[in-house]
mmCIF file of all heavy atoms in Angstrom:
data_model
loop_
_atom_site.group_PDB
_atom_site.id
_atom_site.type_symbol
_atom_site.label_atom_id
_atom_site.label_comp_id
_atom_site.label_asym_id
_atom_site.label_seq_id
_atom_site.Cartn_x
_atom_site.Cartn_y
_atom_site.Cartn_z
ATOM 1 N N TRP A 29 0.579 15.401 -8.625
ATOM 2 C CA TRP A 29 0.286 15.671 -10.147
ATOM 3 C C TRP A 29 -0.089 14.374 -10.874
ATOM 4 O O TRP A 29 -0.797 14.461 -11.754
ATOM 5 C CB TRP A 29 1.536 16.243 -10.723
ATOM 6 C CG TRP A 29 1.853 17.661 -10.150
ATOM 7 C CD1 TRP A 29 2.856 18.153 -9.562
ATOM 8 C CD2 TRP A 29 0.968 18.799 -10.467
ATOM 9 N NE1 TRP A 29 2.750 19.518 -9.286
ATOM 10 C CE2 TRP A 29 1.619 19.879 -9.822
ATOM 11 C CE3 TRP A 29 -0.259 18.970 -11.184
ATOM 12 C CZ2 TRP A 29 1.058 21.205 -9.856
ATOM 13 C CZ3 TRP A 29 -0.754 20.285 -11.168
ATOM 14 C CH2 TRP A 29 -0.154 21.350 -10.549
ATOM 15 N N LYS A 30 0.506 13.247 -10.438
ATOM 16 C CA LYS A 30 0.423 12.109 -11.230
ATOM 17 C C LYS A 30 -1.089 11.657 -11.607
ATOM 18 O O LYS A 30 -1.267 11.438 -12.689
ATOM 19 C CB LYS A 30 1.079 10.882 -10.568
ATOM 20 C CG LYS A 30 2.576 11.119 -10.755
ATOM 21 C CD LYS A 30 3.428 9.931 -10.143
ATOM 22 C CE LYS A 30 4.935 10.234 -10.257
ATOM 23 N NZ LYS A 30 5.760 9.225 -9.398
ATOM 24 N N PRO A 31 -1.946 11.602 -10.567
ATOM 25 C CA PRO A 31 -3.183 11.324 -11.039
ATOM 26 C C PRO A 31 -3.956 12.205 -12.022
ATOM 27 O O PRO A 31 -4.651 11.754 -12.961
ATOM 28 C CB PRO A 31 -4.048 11.353 -9.599
ATOM 29 C CG PRO A 31 -3.111 11.281 -8.647
ATOM 30 C CD PRO A 31 -1.780 11.849 -9.187
ATOM 31 N N ILE A 32 -3.594 13.492 -11.920
ATOM 32 C CA ILE A 32 -4.081 14.397 -12.911
ATOM 33 C C ILE A 32 -3.482 14.260 -14.154
ATOM 34 O O ILE A 32 -4.281 14.404 -15.301
ATOM 35 C CB ILE A 32 -3.916 15.943 -12.288
ATOM 36 C CG1 ILE A 32 -4.456 15.892 -10.846
ATOM 37 C CG2 ILE A 32 -4.467 16.839 -13.235
ATOM 38 C CD1 ILE A 32 -4.091 17.359 -10.325
ATOM 39 N N ILE A 33 -2.244 13.928 -14.288
ATOM 40 C CA ILE A 33 -1.608 13.563 -15.547
ATOM 41 C C ILE A 33 -2.233 12.434 -16.205
ATOM 42 O O ILE A 33 -2.575 12.461 -17.400
ATOM 43 C CB ILE A 33 -0.208 13.531 -15.333
ATOM 44 C CG1 ILE A 33 0.603 14.735 -14.893
ATOM 45 C CG2 ILE A 33 0.494 12.927 -16.617
ATOM 46 C CD1 ILE A 33 2.003 14.637 -14.415
ATOM 47 N N ILE A 34 -2.427 11.349 -15.464
ATOM 48 C CA ILE A 34 -3.058 10.178 -15.994
ATOM 49 C C ILE A 34 -4.368 10.481 -16.536
ATOM 50 O O ILE A 34 -4.757 9.983 -17.574
ATOM 51 C CB ILE A 34 -3.000 9.041 -14.863
ATOM 52 C CG1 ILE A 34 -1.618 8.575 -14.508
ATOM 53 C CG2 ILE A 34 -3.964 7.750 -15.344
ATOM 54 C CD1 ILE A 34 -1.609 7.899 -13.152
ATOM 55 N N TYR A 35 -5.131 11.321 -15.676
ATOM 56 C CA TYR A 35 -6.455 11.545 -16.143
ATOM 57 C C TYR A 35 -6.428 12.460 -17.416
ATOM 58 O O TYR A 35 -7.300 12.323 -18.250
ATOM 59 C CB TYR A 35 -7.087 12.406 -14.966
ATOM 60 C CG TYR A 35 -8.597 12.329 -14.997
ATOM 61 C CD1 TYR A 35 -9.308 11.165 -14.627
ATOM 62 C CD2 TYR A 35 -9.341 13.499 -15.470
ATOM 63 C CE1 TYR A 35 -10.696 11.278 -14.610
ATOM 64 C CE2 TYR A 35 -10.671 13.531 -15.399
ATOM 65 C CZ TYR A 35 -11.342 12.444 -15.090
ATOM 66 O OH TYR A 35 -12.782 12.276 -15.034
ATOM 67 N N THR A 36 -5.487 13.308 -17.501
ATOM 68 C CA THR A 36 -5.474 14.116 -18.681
ATOM 69 C C THR A 36 -5.022 13.335 -19.943
ATOM 70 O O THR A 36 -5.512 13.581 -21.001
ATOM 71 C CB THR A 36 -4.272 15.261 -18.543
ATOM 72 O OG1 THR A 36 -4.745 16.042 -17.273
ATOM 73 C CG2 THR A 36 -4.214 16.184 -19.605
ATOM 74 N N ILE A 37 -4.168 12.428 -19.854
ATOM 75 C CA ILE A 37 -3.685 11.703 -21.040
ATOM 76 C C ILE A 37 -4.980 10.828 -21.373
ATOM 77 O O ILE A 37 -5.221 10.765 -22.532
ATOM 78 C CB ILE A 37 -2.531 10.695 -20.634
ATOM 79 C CG1 ILE A 37 -1.243 11.520 -20.343
ATOM 80 C CG2 ILE A 37 -2.270 9.805 -21.745
ATOM 81 C CD1 ILE A 37 -0.083 10.786 -19.948
ATOM 82 N N GLY A 38 -5.521 10.115 -20.495
ATOM 83 C CA GLY A 38 -6.772 9.384 -20.788
ATOM 84 C C GLY A 38 -6.394 8.304 -21.868
ATOM 85 O O GLY A 38 -5.334 7.920 -22.012
ATOM 86 N N LYS A 39 -7.478 7.886 -22.595
ATOM 87 C CA LYS A 39 -7.332 6.806 -23.472
ATOM 88 C C LYS A 39 -7.002 7.281 -24.897
ATOM 89 O O LYS A 39 -7.724 7.021 -25.848
ATOM 90 C CB LYS A 39 -8.635 5.886 -23.510
ATOM 91 C CG LYS A 39 -8.964 5.325 -22.213
ATOM 92 C CD LYS A 39 -10.191 4.506 -22.334
ATOM 93 C CE LYS A 39 -10.562 3.765 -20.949
ATOM 94 N NZ LYS A 39 -11.707 2.904 -21.105
ATOM 95 N N ARG A 40 -5.969 7.969 -24.981
ATOM 96 C CA ARG A 40 -5.639 8.497 -26.338
ATOM 97 C C ARG A 40 -3.970 8.709 -26.295
ATOM 98 O O ARG A 40 -3.464 8.675 -25.327
ATOM 99 C CB ARG A 40 -6.167 9.837 -26.550
ATOM 100 C CG ARG A 40 -5.789 10.853 -25.484
ATOM 101 C CD ARG A 40 -6.517 12.271 -25.743
ATOM 102 N NE ARG A 40 -6.555 12.924 -24.450
ATOM 103 C CZ ARG A 40 -6.964 14.185 -24.195
ATOM 104 N NH1 ARG A 40 -7.221 14.861 -25.426
ATOM 105 N NH2 ARG A 40 -7.033 14.711 -23.083
ATOM 106 N N THR A 41 -3.590 8.849 -27.473
ATOM 107 C CA THR A 41 -2.145 9.219 -27.651
ATOM 108 C C THR A 41 -2.096 10.764 -27.701
ATOM 109 O O THR A 41 -2.826 11.364 -28.430
ATOM 110 C CB THR A 41 -1.618 8.655 -28.971
ATOM 111 O OG1 THR A 41 -1.578 7.194 -28.710
ATOM 112 C CG2 THR A 41 -0.224 9.065 -29.150
ATOM 113 N N ILE A 42 -1.157 11.407 -26.834
ATOM 114 C CA ILE A 42 -1.157 12.673 -26.781
ATOM 115 C C ILE A 42 0.230 13.206 -26.661
ATOM 116 O O ILE A 42 1.125 12.552 -26.174
ATOM 117 C CB ILE A 42 -1.975 13.122 -25.493
ATOM 118 C CG1 ILE A 42 -2.035 14.632 -25.385
ATOM 119 C CG2 ILE A 42 -1.227 12.517 -24.322
ATOM 120 C CD1 ILE A 42 -2.967 15.068 -24.135
ATOM 121 N N ARG A 43 0.545 14.488 -27.201
ATOM 122 C CA ARG A 43 1.916 15.070 -27.232
ATOM 123 C C ARG A 43 2.091 15.775 -25.980
ATOM 124 O O ARG A 43 1.340 16.186 -25.267
ATOM 125 C CB ARG A 43 1.959 15.960 -28.476
ATOM 126 C CG ARG A 43 1.817 15.248 -29.699
ATOM 127 C CD ARG A 43 2.083 16.051 -30.875
ATOM 128 N NE ARG A 43 3.366 16.802 -30.931
ATOM 129 C CZ ARG A 43 3.781 17.452 -31.869
ATOM 130 N NH1 ARG A 43 3.067 17.652 -32.974
ATOM 131 N NH2 ARG A 43 5.011 17.931 -31.899
ATOM 132 N N PHE A 44 3.442 15.945 -25.738
ATOM 133 C CA PHE A 44 3.819 16.580 -24.510
ATOM 134 C C PHE A 44 3.232 18.020 -24.355
ATOM 135 O O PHE A 44 2.573 18.366 -23.223
ATOM 136 C CB PHE A 44 5.433 16.814 -24.558
ATOM 137 C CG PHE A 44 5.975 17.615 -23.285
ATOM 138 C CD1 PHE A 44 6.293 16.842 -22.128
ATOM 139 C CD2 PHE A 44 6.084 18.921 -23.455
ATOM 140 C CE1 PHE A 44 6.787 17.602 -21.097
ATOM 141 C CE2 PHE A 44 6.696 19.696 -22.428
ATOM 142 C CZ PHE A 44 6.955 19.005 -21.170
ATOM 143 N N GLY A 45 3.339 18.692 -25.437
ATOM 144 C CA GLY A 45 2.719 20.056 -25.482
ATOM 145 C C GLY A 45 1.194 20.178 -25.115
ATOM 146 O O GLY A 45 0.829 21.118 -24.488
ATOM 147 N N GLN A 46 0.552 19.182 -25.550
ATOM 148 C CA GLN A 46 -0.843 19.142 -25.325
ATOM 149 C C GLN A 46 -1.174 18.795 -23.915
ATOM 150 O O GLN A 46 -2.011 19.572 -23.163
ATOM 151 C CB GLN A 46 -1.617 17.959 -26.033
ATOM 152 C CG GLN A 46 -1.511 18.120 -27.579
ATOM 153 C CD GLN A 46 -2.113 16.957 -28.315
ATOM 154 O OE1 GLN A 46 -3.433 16.754 -28.162
ATOM 155 N NE2 GLN A 46 -1.430 16.167 -29.011
ATOM 156 N N ILE A 47 -0.352 17.901 -23.249
ATOM 157 C CA ILE A 47 -0.558 17.771 -21.828
ATOM 158 C C ILE A 47 -0.319 19.003 -21.086
ATOM 159 O O ILE A 47 -1.024 19.435 -20.181
ATOM 160 C CB ILE A 47 0.345 16.663 -21.381
ATOM 161 C CG1 ILE A 47 0.196 15.326 -22.116
ATOM 162 C CG2 ILE A 47 0.107 16.339 -19.803
ATOM 163 C CD1 ILE A 47 1.112 14.280 -21.747
ATOM 164 N N TYR A 48 0.839 19.589 -21.473
ATOM 165 C CA TYR A 48 1.258 20.852 -20.791
ATOM 166 C C TYR A 48 0.111 21.894 -20.913
ATOM 167 O O TYR A 48 -0.097 22.569 -19.911
ATOM 168 C CB TYR A 48 2.679 21.302 -21.381
ATOM 169 C CG TYR A 48 3.144 22.577 -20.835
ATOM 170 C CD1 TYR A 48 3.530 22.644 -19.560
ATOM 171 C CD2 TYR A 48 3.345 23.658 -21.602
ATOM 172 C CE1 TYR A 48 4.012 23.774 -18.897
ATOM 173 C CE2 TYR A 48 3.759 24.771 -21.018
ATOM 174 C CZ TYR A 48 4.274 24.864 -19.720
ATOM 175 O OH TYR A 48 4.788 26.033 -19.225
ATOM 176 N N ALA A 49 -0.414 22.048 -22.111
ATOM 177 C CA ALA A 49 -1.510 23.096 -22.287
ATOM 178 C C ALA A 49 -2.759 22.787 -21.524
ATOM 179 O O ALA A 49 -3.419 23.687 -20.948
ATOM 180 C CB ALA A 49 -1.677 23.220 -23.839
ATOM 181 N N LEU A 50 -3.078 21.401 -21.629
ATOM 182 C CA LEU A 50 -4.351 21.017 -20.926
ATOM 183 C C LEU A 50 -4.282 21.243 -19.415
ATOM 184 O O LEU A 50 -5.174 21.608 -18.782
ATOM 185 C CB LEU A 50 -4.673 19.658 -21.306
ATOM 186 C CG LEU A 50 -5.179 19.359 -22.783
ATOM 187 C CD1 LEU A 50 -5.378 17.905 -23.013
ATOM 188 C CD2 LEU A 50 -6.583 19.977 -22.879
ATOM 189 N N MET A 51 -3.170 21.027 -18.793
ATOM 190 C CA MET A 51 -3.031 21.020 -17.433
ATOM 191 C C MET A 51 -2.912 22.492 -16.948
ATOM 192 O O MET A 51 -3.293 22.929 -15.889
ATOM 193 C CB MET A 51 -1.842 20.305 -16.976
ATOM 194 C CG MET A 51 -2.075 18.719 -17.214
ATOM 195 S SD MET A 51 -0.918 17.705 -16.344
ATOM 196 C CE MET A 51 -1.202 18.062 -14.658
ATOM 197 N N GLY A 52 -2.277 23.305 -17.872
ATOM 198 C CA GLY A 52 -2.335 24.790 -17.644
ATOM 199 C C GLY A 52 -1.373 25.126 -16.498
ATOM 200 O O GLY A 52 -0.479 26.081 -16.641
#
Side-chain angles (χ1 to χ4, degrees):
Chain A
W29 294 116
K30 284 179 185 171
I32 304 174
I33 293 173
I34 295 164
Y35 202 75
T36 301
I37 297 181
K39 299 186 180 182
R40 59 179 157 174
T41 294
I42 187 172
R43 298 181 59 173
F44 178 87
Q46 298 182 63
I47 303 175
Y48 182 62
L50 285 173
M51 298 192 57

